[in-house]
Amino acid sequence: MGLGDITRAGVLAAVDECQRLGRETFRRRYGFGRATTYELVLDGHCYDSKAIAGVAHLYSTGDLLSADGFSGGARTVAHRLRVLGFTVTDGNAATDGPQQVVPQIVLQPRGSSRDRGPQNFAKSVRQGIRITDIRDALGEQADALTALYPDGIARLWGSTPTTQVNNEKVRALRDRRVGDDVLFYAENHFFARARILHLFNSPPVAREVWGTDEANATWEHIMALGEVEEFSAPVLAAPILRRLNVRAPLRSLTLRPAEDYRHVGHLLPEKSHLAGPHPSTPLAAPYPQPTATDLLDRIGSLDTHRDGPSHHQPLALLWAISRVAAGKPRLAPWSTFRAEISPLLSEFELLGSEVTPEYPFWHLQGSGLWEVHGTAPDADPIPQAGVLTATQPVAGLTHASAELLQTPLTRLKAVVKLCSTYLDGVDRRELLSRVGLAGYTTADGLLDGDESDGGREAADADGATGPAARRESTSSRLVRNAAIATQVKELHGHACQVCETRLQYKRRPYSEAAHIRGLGSPHDGPDELPNLLCLCPNHHVLFDGLEIYIDVDGIVKRTHGGDSVGSLRRHADHQIDEAYLQYHRTLCELNMRTGK
């Protein structure tokens, strides 16, 4: 596969995602650098041609074409995009787009050890801050940072307010802008460089990240940074400061214009090829992000009676969720959708329904969970299969929906909602197996190799005699942490947390460490002490088989019938994470609805 497999619909889908994420975040997510020659131009906006082509290949074929996977270079990419009907310009030529905005230079003192400068830089710039750890303090800024940092780690630096009216710091705080370069200064040297991605003012965030200084002031004027690079050898600051007409040593946040920056650029290390905001394109404003509750509400409000009762939309959404669980692209071409959905409609659609794959492919757009790219503007209200086959549009979950479904509990709740709301009368256990979600039938999930043999032993011919035959197999196994398994057993003295049983095997105590949220797919639970129970073999089997669960009050109950088995015994040094217990309860709810 190569550039020839890229479709126009795939390009449009990639462009849409780039618009939603912003160019810097889009490139960083997929491992591409900034375009240096050719740019795709669409509706007055410019895009990095290689990045768009690589992601378009993902949505056209299912495989990302990585930055080093292009044969023929940027010129070949430009040719393919032009063949598909797009405009591609030479990045070195003048265009009618926005004029290039040259970055200014922000000189940022790091601060001394007394000011906790080195510690703060290591914490919030070098290591970064987990957005989830400061989400409550972020308020309305949470969506902006989430869009900028898809890995969930924000690189932040702040400045304290000043009571002065028009000094260097006041001017810098007032006039710095997104896209400017920041040089970090300490001990008469510049030691790091970054680019401003976002600016905001927030005392609550500053207190959460850095605390307060000796005057009880917060570093509330905050820069969100990208393209962070620490120089391999610090650069002597004096020559740069002289050319910028700044007194040494640098004591205050200082801003110098783009023209001055050009005069000292040659004194700094050449920039690494890092993904960063394109100077000619402002960062896109982040789209409002739906919550998990919004997602589940939309799933529970599908219009399944458009042409009489139908299962086609729930079936298509289950299929889409299975792609998220398996790490596949959220969007797929019509040919893939039709090949995989048609058998599901044939087997699990309501009796007498004549729905065909183009119905869910198109109508799910009304749910707010689904998008289609690549259809003609004058397409029929319901494009015919022949038209879809000719144009090969791509469709699937919206970016926001797919992101929410990356969370295992949200994904599980979505499956429960679909099964309980729309799929009565369907063999839901068989359906989950068919769409690739068989792992939800046990708390352990599917480990590597489980799906191929279903855990069954191969049967030899009847009447075989002699030693049992052997067969070769190759498999990979999850690597469990034996130390924490031993720890949970020893904390509880090998006594089952459900029934208090202490077993002896070969004159040694015997118990089993059970994961609450399983390690296998699609649960993808962590191997850590808060996700473990110490159980006897009997209750381990029942717990993994979803026959018992632990309610919010710590009572162990039977899934079918709700009878109490007893109270879960706790230990002060074994803190169980309630989120894992909630996940297991939801899994038992699904098991109860799917039946035997």
Side-chain angles (χ1 to χ4, degrees), residues 82-355:
R82 286 168 177 153
V83 167
L84 292 171
F86 295 100
T87 299
V88 181
T89 62
D90 187 333
N92 295 320
T95 69
D96 294 330
Q99 294 298 307
Q100 180 171 335
V101 179
V102 180
Q104 304 175 103
I105 185 170
V106 179
L107 308 179
Q108 174 66 68
R110 183 198 62 190
S112 65
S113 296
R114 177 183 175 184
D115 301 320
R116 304 196 303 275
Q119 301 94 314
N120 286 341
F121 183 90
K123 174 185 178 182
S124 65
V125 178
R126 180 182 299 135
Q127 178 181 333
I129 303 296
R130 289 185 179 276
I131 295 173
T132 53
D133 292 344
I134 60 172
R135 182 170 291 276
D136 290 342
L138 280 168
E140 63 182 10
Q141 296 296 331
D143 288 341
L145 293 193
T146 299
L148 286 171
Y149 301 101
D151 60 359
I153 305 296
R155 316 287 171 174
L156 305 178
W157 191 258
S159 300
T160 55
T162 176
T163 58
Q164 299 298 316
V165 177
N166 198 30
N167 62 4
E168 287 281 11
K169 184 173 183 178
V170 170
R171 290 192 292 271
L173 290 174
R174 181 188 63 215
D175 296 332
R176 63 185 177 176
R177 63 196 181 203
V178 169
D180 287 346
D181 280 355
V182 181
L183 286 181
F184 283 91
Y185 171 95
E187 300 173 345
N188 301 315
H189 288 79
F190 290 111
F191 67 95
R193 175 170 51 202
R195 177 157 289 190
I196 300 176
L197 304 184
H198 184 55
L199 293 165
F200 63 104
N201 187 61
S202 176
V205 171
R207 279 192 292 269
E208 187 76 15
V209 176
W210 303 292
T212 58
D213 65 9
E214 293 178 345
N216 201 35
T218 64
W219 289 271
E220 63 196 60
H221 298 283
I222 299 173
M223 300 182 289
L225 302 173
E227 298 188 20
V228 176
E229 54 177 329
E230 296 186 59
F231 302 145
S232 56
V235 178
L236 187 65
I240 296 174
L241 294 177
R242 277 198 303 270
R243 289 178 180 241
L244 295 174
N245 195 27
V246 176
R247 181 179 299 178
L250 181 67
R251 298 190 183 280
S252 172
L253 181 72
T254 301
L255 177 70
R256 286 294 180 264
E259 182 178 354
D260 288 357
Y261 189 11
R262 281 195 292 264
H263 293 159
V264 300
H266 66 284
L267 299 176
L268 295 165
E270 185 176 350
K271 278 200 171 188
S272 303
H273 293 293
L274 297 172
H278 194 280
S280 65
T281 303
L283 286 169
Y287 279 52
Q289 294 296 307
T291 65
T293 300
D294 296 331
L295 176 83
L296 295 173
D297 286 344
R298 290 175 182 176
I299 288 175
S301 304
L302 299 177
D303 183 2
T304 58
H305 289 71
R306 183 187 300 270
D307 301 297
S310 175
H311 291 157
H312 65 83
Q313 293 191 45
L315 290 173
L317 286 179
L318 279 177
W319 169 84
I321 291 170
S322 75
R323 291 177 65 85
V324 173
K328 295 180 180 179
R330 64 186 178 90
L331 302 178
W334 161 249
S335 58
T336 298
F337 182 89
R338 180 182 58 183
E340 297 182 7
I341 289 294
S342 293
L344 297 177
L345 292 176
S346 175
E347 184 169 350
F348 298 103
E349 183 55 286
L350 288 171
L351 187 64
S353 172
E354 297 181 356
V355 167

Side-chain angles (χ1 to χ4, degrees), residues 435-493:
V435 298
L437 296 173
Y440 283 133
T441 59
T442 69
D444 254 357
L446 289 178
L447 303 176
D448 292 346
D450 285 355
E451 217 163 3
S452 60
D453 58 18
R456 300 171 185 169
E457 298 178 3
D460 293 321
D462 291 341
T465 59
R470 296 181 180 272
R471 57 178 176 142
E472 292 186 0
S473 65
T474 301
S475 64
S476 60
R477 298 287 179 185
L478 289 165
V479 179
R480 294 180 171 88
N481 187 338
I484 61 168
T486 299
Q487 182 182 0
V488 74
K489 295 174 186 179
E490 291 180 347
L491 280 173
H492 292 278

